[in-house]
Amino acid sequence: MIVTSVKIDCARITDWPSFHAVFAETFGFPSFYGKNISAWIDCLTSLDAPDDGMTTSHCAPGTVVTLRLDHVRDFRRRCPEQYAALIECSAFVNWRRNESDRASVLALSFHD
């Protein structure tokens, strides 16, 4: 499935297991997904590469997927570690891609 925007219901995230469950469900991570932040980064780095088999949701090469983070203010208060990791690791996904001459693939949009 080609996407340009994906809604993440941050109210469903309460800890690391739920963080990984929400993203795995939303993006269709593979069954071998390691449920750790390194695996999360690997999956989202491949958003425009369906043949990698890292997600079932994809974007066209050269486009960006916007993560619409709903209920983000409460998420930041309730889960500061996961909130900070989401921001930092999204930036790392883009940095990693830029380092290998590929375009950024993620943008974040914050909603209450």
Side-chain angles (χ1 to χ4, degrees):
M1 169 182 12
I2 300 290
V3 297
T4 58
S5 179
V6 174
K7 186 189 325 187
I8 303 295
D9 182 0
C10 294
R12 294 180 52 207
I13 301 172
T14 58
D15 53 17
W16 282 114
S18 60
F19 175 93
H20 292 291
V22 165
F23 277 92
E25 175 187 315
T26 301
F27 281 98
F29 291 170
S31 60
F32 60 84
Y33 173 59
K35 298 176 185 161
N36 60 64
I37 207 65
S38 293
W40 186 91
I41 289 168
D42 288 343
C43 288
L44 292 182
T45 297
S46 294
L47 275 174
D48 62 351
D51 291 342
D52 289 355
M54 301 302 277
T55 63
T56 58
S57 297
H58 308 285
C59 63
T63 65
V64 171
V65 173
T66 300
L67 300 182
R68 180 191 161 116
L69 305 173
D70 287 347
H71 311 289
V72 73
R73 188 179 309 217
D74 185 51
F75 172 56
R76 184 178 80 184
R77 180 191 52 74
R78 186 181 64 257
C79 301
E81 186 178 356
Q82 289 80 8
Y83 173 82
L86 174 59
I87 293 170
E88 183 175 328
C89 293
S90 294
F92 183 78
V93 165
N94 289 334
W95 175 86
R96 180 188 208 187
R97 290 176 57 84
N98 295 164
E99 284 295 300
S100 61
D101 294 323
R102 295 184 292 168
S104 296
V105 73
L106 287 177
L108 302 178
S109 178
F110 298 83
H111 301 267
D112 279 334

